[in-house]
């Protein structure tokens, strides 16, 4: 046991440059790819596989499609010099019935690699004519190699998939026969998981679909399990003393400051959070609430609570606009009750900034609201008791923990407007307690949603115009920044069309490629009512509150996830006016239409999120955004839900047993799993601090 453990560790200590075929130059590239050691390389899984197992006769290949052909090289390839000094090689191959011409450019190794009289598998797009098929620069393998399924690696400049594949083959040779499995036999049997050795070998070089599925299942399970246990352990580990206790009492005094009465969901959430803060260890709570559910009031209640206990609170928002908005509404509310509020963004400069820092450090400011400027070195607190992050998915984990480090274990409140189904929330926020604001304040106008096809755009524009004439504002959303091959318009082109269709109206344009200051200017003009129409990509989706904007038109609606559409739609219906959302699509696909109709008829963000998860997978919840989790190497939250459920169950069982005590997996059997957890969290740089 001990010895095996040692061997296993050494693979992760063995530098990648010790592999045959990996010199220092390649080693640098491998390190960049995330494989600094042989062990890491084995865990660099293929991103796709090519099926070479069904070679076709040349005559049966279809033109313009990728095919695999088994054929013999008829004679030594010929070399031609063409324009620009490039070298061209022509190779004639035959399958005994027909010939095919292959062309390669600038690959002087071709004559060595393709030998006359030998048989190869060629894979590439078939071109030419039905009488004379051709392939240009096909991939090829010696027939003798008999590879069925070829792994495709995330290649990088200078490091082809082939080179990686060869290195992996070398690495597998070093894998000891009896490689120690971090998942003990007992677990593997219970969850029907193959051994690590088998999994590693077959995830890279499967001989069949079944083998691949078996290998992947196990690796995905392991990855989810490790992540889940890691998060649970972090949660457990935080339970150590509460340096900032508050009285366990509902802040009624705060509630009386509000111009409205709190909803039951708000009261419940505040109660849960106050209980946390009065408890044995610092609060770590996520508040999930649909757009408009009143998260800000919850945050304010908790800030009030810690401030009343003599501590300071900080609220971090992802953009200057949002920060300014929060500052305006919170200081209006709290300043009359004696709470000293301040706003810190990149725009606060010079002596003003210095004064603010000093006041914060002296405790002359109770509540600071700001952007990531709050993370600056100079920002020091006298006694930071609570950190709130709004729209948390916009912040990386390191940013959030940086703010928390400015105090001695302050309470943490994370607010998210992206409703996430429960299973997924457990996965992503496994280390947090969760409150759900599942109720909207009363008297909200329902947003009318319409689904139309492009010929009705003109009429829809007329409808928008009518609202503008009444003094309201509107959003026009289009999906792309650049013109793309599908002929869709860029935002700027679209804005020109809009300007022509709305002569005399003021139009602002917003997209993700603009500089932050430009974006803020455009948003600012819109929220002040200086522009009537805002043409935008989805960058407008987060948190912005312009109650006078009552109409939204979304082009190519089929391109968005439902949750994203929901976020977009949440920008309207925020004031006293009846609001309308018009989705335009020319999609005819029944499934897609069904999705959009479901969206049209539903206003509940959680229902929409569940449907989205079912229909498109969770990719949409996170997309490209940072969600602060360690990077998963093989598991894909969008396709592997079933495995996720299994792994969650397993994690809970392990956790409930005594095996998992005091933040460590104590028994020898679980030592491997423990080091996997350490490795996963070390890799993410999150250092065990996932907020
Ligand atoms: P979100 O959860 O999207 O951040 P906000 O906190 O911005 O929502 O609240 C949306 C609007 O609803 C604000 O104008 C806020 O003042 C108002 N609001 C919040 N709670 C209540 C309530 N209990 N009753 C009436 N209005 C409320
Ligand atoms: Mg909000």
């Amino acid at each position: 046991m001990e010895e095996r453990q040692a061997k296993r560790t050494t693979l992760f200590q063995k530098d990648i440059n010790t592999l045959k075929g990996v010199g220092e130059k390649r080693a640098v590239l491998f390190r960049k790819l995330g494989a600094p050691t042989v062990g890491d390389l084995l865990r660099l899984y293929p991103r796709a596989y090519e099926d070479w197992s069904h070679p076709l006769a040349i005559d049966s290949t279809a033109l313009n499609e990728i095919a695999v052909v088994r054929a013999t090289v008829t004679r030594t390839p010929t070399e031609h010099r063409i324009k620009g000094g490039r070298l061209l090689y022509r190779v004639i191959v035959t399958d005994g019935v027909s010939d095919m011409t292959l062309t390669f450019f600038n690959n002087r190794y071709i004559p060595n690699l393709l030998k006359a009289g030998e048989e190869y598998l060629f894979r590439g797009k078939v071109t030419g004519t039905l009488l004379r098929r051709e392939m240009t620069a096909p991939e090829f393998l010696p027939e003798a190699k008999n590879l069925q399924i070829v792994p495709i690696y995330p290649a990088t400049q200078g490091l082809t998939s082939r080179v990686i594949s060869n290195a992996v083959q070398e690495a597998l040779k070093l894998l000891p026969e009896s490689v120690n499995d971090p998942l003990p036999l007992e677990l593997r049997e219970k969850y029907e998981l193959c051994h690590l050795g088998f999994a590693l070998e077959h995830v890279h070089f499967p001989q069949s679909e079944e083998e691949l599925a078996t290998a992947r299942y196990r690796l995905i399970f392991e990855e989810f399990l490790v992540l889940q246990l890691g998060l649970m352990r972090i949660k457990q580990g935080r339970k150590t003393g509460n340096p900032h206790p508050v009285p366990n009492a509902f802040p009624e005094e705060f509630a009386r400051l509000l111009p409205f009465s709190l909803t039951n969901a708000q009261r419940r959430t505040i109660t849960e959070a106050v209980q946390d803060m009065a408890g044995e260890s610092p609060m770590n709570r996520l508040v999930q609430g649909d757009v408009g559910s009143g998260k800000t009031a919850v945050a304010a209640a908790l800030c009030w609570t810690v401030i009343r206990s003599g501590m300071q609170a900080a609220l971090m928002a992802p953009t200057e606009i949002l920060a300014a908005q929060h500052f305006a509404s919170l200081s209006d509310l709290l300043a009359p009750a004696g709470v000293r509020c301040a706003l810190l963004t990149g725009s606060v400069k010079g002596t003003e900034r210095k004064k603010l820092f000093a006041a914060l450090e002296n405790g002359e400011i109770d509540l600071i609201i700001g952007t990531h400027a709050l993370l600056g070195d100079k920002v020091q607190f006298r006694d930071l008791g609570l950190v709130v992050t709004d729209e948390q998915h916009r912040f990386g984990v390191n940013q959030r923990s940086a703010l928390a480090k400015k105090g001695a274990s302050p309470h943490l409140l994370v607010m998210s407007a992206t409703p996430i189904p429960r299973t997924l929330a457990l996965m992503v926020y496994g280390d947090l307690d969760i409150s759900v604001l599942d109720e909207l304040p009363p008297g909200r106008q329902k947003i009318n949603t319409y689904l139309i096809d492009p010929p009705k755009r003109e009429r829809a524009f007329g409808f928008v115009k009518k609202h503008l004439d009444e003094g309201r504002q509107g959003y026009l959303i289009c999906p792309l920044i650049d013109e793309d091959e599908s002929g869709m318009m860029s935002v700027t082109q679209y804005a020109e069309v809009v300007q022509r269709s709305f002569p005399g109206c003021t139009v602002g344009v917003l997209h993700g490629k603009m500089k932050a200051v430009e974006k803020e200017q455009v948003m600012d003009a819109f929220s002040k009512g200086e522009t009537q129409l805002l043409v935008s990509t989805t960058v407008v989706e987060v948190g912005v509150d312009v109650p006078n904007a009552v109409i939204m038109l979304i082009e190519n609606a089929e391109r968005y996830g439902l949750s994203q559409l929901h976020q977009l739609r949440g920008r309207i219906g925020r004031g006293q006016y009846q609001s309308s959302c018009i989705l335009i699509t020319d999609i005819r696909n029944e499934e897609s239409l069904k999705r959009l109709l479901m969206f049209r008829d539903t206003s509940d963000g959680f229902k929409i999120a569940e449907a989205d998860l079912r229909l498109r997978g969770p990719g949409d919840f996170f997309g490209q955004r940072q969600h602060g989790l360690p990077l998963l190497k093989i598991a894909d939250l969008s396709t592997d839900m079933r495995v996720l459920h299994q792994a969650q169950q397993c994690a809970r069982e392990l956790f409930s047993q005594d095996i998992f005590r005091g933040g460590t997996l104590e028994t020898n059997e679980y030592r491997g799993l423990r080091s996997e957890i350490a490795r996963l969290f070390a890799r993410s740089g999150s250092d065990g601090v996932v907020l």
Side-chain angles (χ1 to χ4, degrees):
M1 186 79 184
E2 284 302 312
E3 199 189 335
R4 272 193 242 150
Q5 182 74 31
K7 263 192 202 149
R8 182 140 196 290
T9 324
T10 53
L11 275 196
F12 276 100
Q13 287 166 345
K14 221 174 165 67
D15 197 284
I16 194 73
N17 66 17
T18 58
L19 273 187
K20 209 174 118 197
V22 180
E24 193 42 43
K25 227 168 99 198
R26 275 183 181 164
V28 172
L29 297 171
F30 272 107
R31 284 179 204 123
K32 252 206 230 151
L33 263 189
T37 70
V38 175
D40 291 307
L41 180 64
L42 287 174
R43 296 268 186 183
L44 181 75
Y45 305 120
R47 66 170 169 77
Y49 300 84
E50 279 172 0
D51 191 352
W52 291 62
S53 62
H54 302 293
L56 297 172
I58 291 173
D59 281 346
S60 2
T61 58
L63 285 183
N64 295 317
E65 286 190 11
I66 304 265
V68 178
V69 163
R70 180 189 291 123
T72 306
V73 174
T74 55
R75 56 189 133 78
T76 305
T78 54
E79 181 182 301
H80 310 265
R81 195 165 281 279
I82 53 168
K83 246 191 2 225
R86 297 214 297 164
L87 288 175
L88 176 150
Y89 295 88
R90 267 196 216 295
V91 186
I92 312 290
V93 298
T94 179
D95 62 4
V97 178
S98 307
D99 289 357
M100 182 165 74
T101 307
L102 312 180
T103 311
F104 295 90
F105 294 101
N106 274 349
N107 186 344
R108 58 177 73 250
Y109 301 108
I110 287 295
N112 288 331
L113 293 170
L114 292 174
K115 297 226 164 61
E118 287 190 17
E119 199 173 36
Y120 300 85
L121 292 172
F122 298 96
R123 185 178 188 280
K125 188 162 162 183
V126 181
T127 55
T129 66
L130 286 177
L131 293 177
R132 177 114 216 131
R133 286 174 172 78
E134 299 175 12
M135 279 185 184
T136 303
E139 299 195 58
F140 53 88
L141 293 168
E143 156 65 10
K145 224 173 179 176
N146 194 24
L147 263 183
Q148 301 278 299
I149 299 174
V150 174
I152 307 298
Y153 292 91
T156 164
Q157 191 94 54
L159 210 54
T160 61
S161 181
R162 177 82 63 95
V163 171
I164 299 171
S165 167
N166 289 339
V168 171
Q169 231 153 15
E170 290 302 318
L172 279 171
K173 284 184 198 157
L174 302 180
L175 192 70
E177 191 93 324
S178 57
V179 54
N180 190 33
D181 195 324
L183 303 182
L185 182 64
E186 179 196 4
L187 274 192
R188 294 202 307 271
E189 281 180 346
K190 177 155 183 194
Y191 291 95
E192 298 177 3
L193 306 166
C194 68
H195 191 275
L196 177 64
F198 181 94
L200 286 179
E201 203 180 319
H202 293 86
V203 79
H204 290 292
F205 302 107
Q207 300 287 322
S208 69
E209 295 281 340
E210 293 76 52
E211 276 181 3
L212 177 59
T214 308
R216 278 183 53 87
Y217 188 86
R218 182 235 134 87
L219 294 170
I220 293 169
F221 185 100
E222 177 186 328
E223 190 159 50
F224 277 143
L225 179 69
V226 165
L227 175 60
Q228 201 74 153
L229 287 173
L231 290 173
M232 286 174 163
R233 192 164 66 162
I234 290 168
K235 188 172 180 175
Q236 181 97 343
R238 286 214 195 98
K239 300 208 163 130
T240 49
N242 177 2
H244 302 286
V246 301
N248 187 5
F250 190 90
E252 292 296 350
E253 203 189 338
F254 166 81
R256 282 195 290 276
L257 297 175
L258 292 168
F260 45 75
S261 23
L262 292 164
T263 63
N264 288 332
Q266 283 170 320
R267 289 193 81 92
R268 188 185 63 232
T269 301
I270 294 168
T271 305
E272 286 168 349
V274 170
Q275 255 163 22
D276 286 354
M277 295 197 294
E280 302 275 282
S281 46
M283 168 172 80
N284 283 287
R285 188 165 284 276
L286 169 75
V287 174
Q288 269 200 65
D290 212 340
V291 266
S293 58
K295 291 183 290 293
T296 317
V298 171
L302 301 176
C303 291
W304 166 272
T305 304
V306 299
I307 291 166
R308 269 293 176 265
S309 294
M311 300 170 266
Q312 293 167 297
L315 191 158
M316 183 161 71
T319 64
E320 290 214 2
I321 303 168
L322 270 182
Q325 230 166 254
H326 280 318
F327 175 70
S329 59
L330 292 185
S331 53
D332 276 358
L333 182 69
L334 300 175
V339 174
R340 296 161 298 177
C341 304
L343 174 68
L344 176 65
T345 63
S347 326
V348 181
K349 295 211 162 79
T351 43
E352 202 189 339
R353 201 175 178 88
K354 276 199 189 124
K355 269 197 206 150
L356 197 152
F357 288 154
L360 202 56
E361 194 160 1
N362 297 334
E364 288 155 22
I365 292 170
D366 302 309
L367 173 60
I368 180 113
I369 294 162
T371 53
H372 54 268
L374 288 174
L375 303 175
D377 285 341
K378 300 239 171 70
V379 180
Q380 297 295 335
F381 294 83
R382 188 178 58 80
D383 184 14
L384 180 62
L386 169 67
V387 170
V388 182
T389 47
D390 192 16
E391 308 294 350
Q392 72 79 223
H393 60 274
R394 293 271 157 151
F395 292 107
V397 60
N398 294 332
Q399 287 180 311
R400 279 178 275 130
S401 58
L403 188 51
K405 279 183 193 137
K406 292 187 179 292
S409 307
H411 302 292
L412 300 176
L413 184 77
V414 168
M415 303 200 290
S416 168
T418 312
I420 302 175
R422 188 154 178 81
T423 24
L424 206 56
L426 275 178
M427 170 74 205
V428 181
Y429 304 111
D431 62 321
L432 300 177
D433 298 307
I434 301 178
S435 296
V436 181
L437 284 176
D438 49 5
E439 182 187 353
L440 292 184
R444 276 289 148 78
Q445 294 261 13
K446 192 179 165 312
I447 299 169
N448 292 326
T449 304
Y450 308 92
L451 186 62
I452 64 172
D453 51 13
K456 300 216 182 73
R457 182 180 290 112
E458 201 96 334
R459 270 181 62 194
F461 275 9
F463 187 63
V464 174
K465 183 77 172 46
K466 191 179 120 256
H467 285 86
L468 301 188
D469 290 344
E470 287 167 7
R472 304 287 83 74
Q473 290 165 280
Y475 299 97
L476 302 180
I477 310 293
C478 79
L480 289 178
I481 300 172
D482 301 314
E483 205 175 347
D484 78 353
E485 59 291 354
S486 67
M488 285 210 297
M489 269 188 260
S490 70
V491 193
T492 21
Q493 285 172 323
Y494 183 66
E496 283 163 21
V497 173
V498 169
Q499 187 67 78
R500 277 198 299 276
S501 309
F502 294 86
C505 288
T506 44
V507 179
V509 181
L510 191 69
H511 58 77
K513 286 203 179 156
M514 290 161 66
K515 291 210 187 77
V517 278
E518 295 171 332
K519 277 194 251 179
E520 311 251 323
Q521 276 164 4
V522 172
M523 253 341 285
D524 204 41
F526 186 69
S527 54
K528 287 187 180 135
E530 293 165 7
T531 43
Q532 295 169 280
L533 267 180
L534 188 61
V535 173
S536 174
T537 56
T538 55
V539 289
V540 80
E541 100 197 40
V542 158
V544 177
D545 193 15
V546 183
N548 192 46
V550 298
I551 189 147
M552 175 175 282
L553 190 141
I554 304 175
E555 298 276 355
N556 297 94
E558 76 285 350
R559 293 207 142 208
Y560 301 96
L562 298 185
S563 294
Q564 200 173 16
L565 285 175
H566 184 64
Q567 283 287 315
L568 284 168
R569 186 170 57 181
R571 298 308 104 224
I572 56 174
R574 301 179 79 85
Q576 77 223 52
Y577 309 103
Q578 174 64 56
S579 296
S580 310
C581 176
I582 305 168
L583 311 171
I584 303 188
T585 183
D586 57 4
I587 202 92
R588 290 280 163 266
N589 174 293
E590 201 177 324
E591 274 302 303
S592 309
L593 273 179
K594 238 166 68 188
R595 279 177 59 227
L596 291 173
L597 287 172
M598 180 271 167
F599 175 77
R600 183 191 67 182
D601 300 332
T602 315
S603 55
D604 180 334
F606 283 90
K607 278 205 189 113
I608 289 170
E610 294 278 358
D612 222 6
L613 182 64
R614 231 178 21 250
L615 295 166
R616 294 185 30 149
D620 286 344
F621 295 109
F622 308 113
Q624 298 299 314
R625 292 174 192 153
Q626 247 182 314
H627 45 65
L629 280 179
L631 225 58
L632 296 175
K633 293 208 151 196
I634 188 166
D636 178 350
L637 284 170
S638 64
T639 51
D640 300 322
M641 285 307 281
R642 194 172 64 89
V643 199
L644 172 60
H645 286 286
Q646 294 266 306
Q648 273 174 344
Q649 189 192 329
C650 177
R652 276 195 295 271
E653 279 167 20
L654 285 182
F655 209 80
S656 67
Q657 291 165 20
D658 264 1
I659 300 166
F660 207 136
R661 236 214 234 116
T664 47
L665 289 167
E666 293 297 354
T667 59
N668 225 7
E669 252 194 310
Y670 284 93
R671 192 193 278 167
L673 197 48
R674 196 169 59 205
S675 45
E676 288 303 323
I677 296 172
R679 194 168 8 254
L680 179 68
F681 284 85
R683 199 170 66 211
S684 74
S686 54
D687 201 16
V689 194
V690 179
L691 298 185

